[in-house]
Amino acid sequence: LRVTTEDLFSRLPGQPDEIILAVGSDWFHIDGDQHATTKGTPQDTDGSPAEIMVTGCELARDHINLLRQVAPVKVVLMAGNHDRSNALGLLLFLAAWFKDAVDVDVVHNFQPRVYLTYGTTLMGFHHGDQTPIAKLGTCMATECREEWGATRHHIFFGGHLHHEHVQEIGGIKHYQMPSLAGTDRYHSRKGYVDSIPGLAAYLVDKKRGVTATLFSPVMKGLS
């Protein structure tokens, strides 16, 4: 994570006003005290549930400390289907840890879809396992009526599927983000081995919306 983040930093075209970080999105891979998802599907893990929870929170904290060296950080929740409760715990942990930090803003919004406005762009964040992409434009226009009318660019960021894909649909542009995760037993057996793991950053201009995407692939032996 540090290597790919620093690689993205090295290719920034200038100093950003802020960095928006979506946390969660199957960050812990499992939920609760069993080696299973929120719905109870068994998962391959390396470590006990307690170890994964603690180290996951500490890694997210350290990542934010790295990001804030470049620009103020705004944190939003993107709770995933693997670890919906643990993701909420992560957001509460980060809110408590950075409660006195003037350059870290943890947004207390625990809804399935979280919205932020930057300049002329209205951004939505969702994991991608619940709301169909075709309905996101209607959701955004309904849940953020004033912001929708006051902005020109309407975009959504999603995770869940571990590969990169961009499409314009229902009045929005949807960015399916890649994943840093490697291939586990389930994905290997199903043949889901062709996605390139890596970290992506999307550059949003105050007037022109998303103007560029940066991608740092995971190199063997690095992360």
Side-chain angles (χ1 to χ4, degrees):
L1 181 60
R2 172 176 285 273
V3 172
T4 50
T5 299
E6 290 179 341
D7 178 43
L8 294 178
F9 284 165
S10 70
R11 291 187 277 129
L12 286 174
Q15 176 70 34
D17 293 335
E18 66 177 355
I19 296 172
I20 299 174
L21 174 67
V23 298
S25 207
D26 297 340
W27 178 256
F28 298 101
H29 192 47
I30 58 174
D31 218 7
D33 196 41
Q34 303 298 319
H35 297 266
T37 66
T38 305
K39 288 187 176 181
T41 305
Q43 299 294 308
D44 295 328
T45 60
D46 183 8
S48 69
E51 289 173 330
I52 291 170
M53 182 70 174
V54 172
T55 57
C57 286
E58 292 175 344
L59 178 59
R61 175 201 62 197
D62 294 344
H63 188 221
I64 292 172
N65 281 329
L66 177 63
L67 296 175
R68 66 196 292 214
Q69 296 177 28
V70 173
V73 180
K74 184 169 290 185
V75 182
V76 298
L77 180 64
M78 187 187 284
N81 58 301
H82 276 231
D83 53 9
R84 206 166 303 281
S85 296
N86 280 0
L88 174 58
L90 172 62
L91 192 75
L92 295 175
F93 166 82
L94 295 174
W97 188 275
F98 293 106
K99 63 182 179 65
D100 296 322
V102 297
D103 57 345
V104 179
D105 178 18
V106 179
V107 179
H108 283 248
N109 188 327
F110 315 121
Q111 299 301 313
R113 294 168 297 278
V114 179
Y115 301 98
L116 293 176
T117 299
Y118 178 74
T120 60
T121 299
L122 176 58
M123 294 174 279
F125 301 85
H126 77 130
H127 179 60
D129 64 300
Q130 294 185 315
T131 309
I133 294 175
K135 288 186 62 66
L136 290 175
T138 301
C139 290
M140 177 179 277
T142 302
E143 295 170 335
C144 298
R145 292 182 185 276
E146 292 185 7
E147 294 89 344
W148 177 277
T151 51
R152 180 174 183 177
H153 309 286
H154 307 116
I155 63 177
F156 248 98
F157 295 104
H160 189 48
L161 296 180
H162 293 206
H163 64 266
E164 201 169 14
H165 181 65
V166 181
Q167 62 178 313
E168 292 183 277
I169 183 170
I172 64 162
K173 181 174 281 190
H174 184 270
Y175 294 85
Q176 172 71 51
M177 297 185 293
S179 171
L180 285 165
T183 303
D184 60 10
R185 179 172 49 176
Y186 170 83
H187 288 86
S188 179
R189 287 177 173 176
K190 292 291 186 179
Y192 301 142
V193 297
D194 53 344
S195 297
I196 300 174
L199 185 65
Y202 302 87
L203 307 186
V204 183
D205 183 86
K206 271 193 170 181
K207 293 183 179 180
R208 296 181 293 172
V210 176
T211 56
T213 301
L214 301 178
F215 179 72
S216 178
V218 174
M219 307 301 290
K220 188 175 181 179
L222 302 175
S223 63

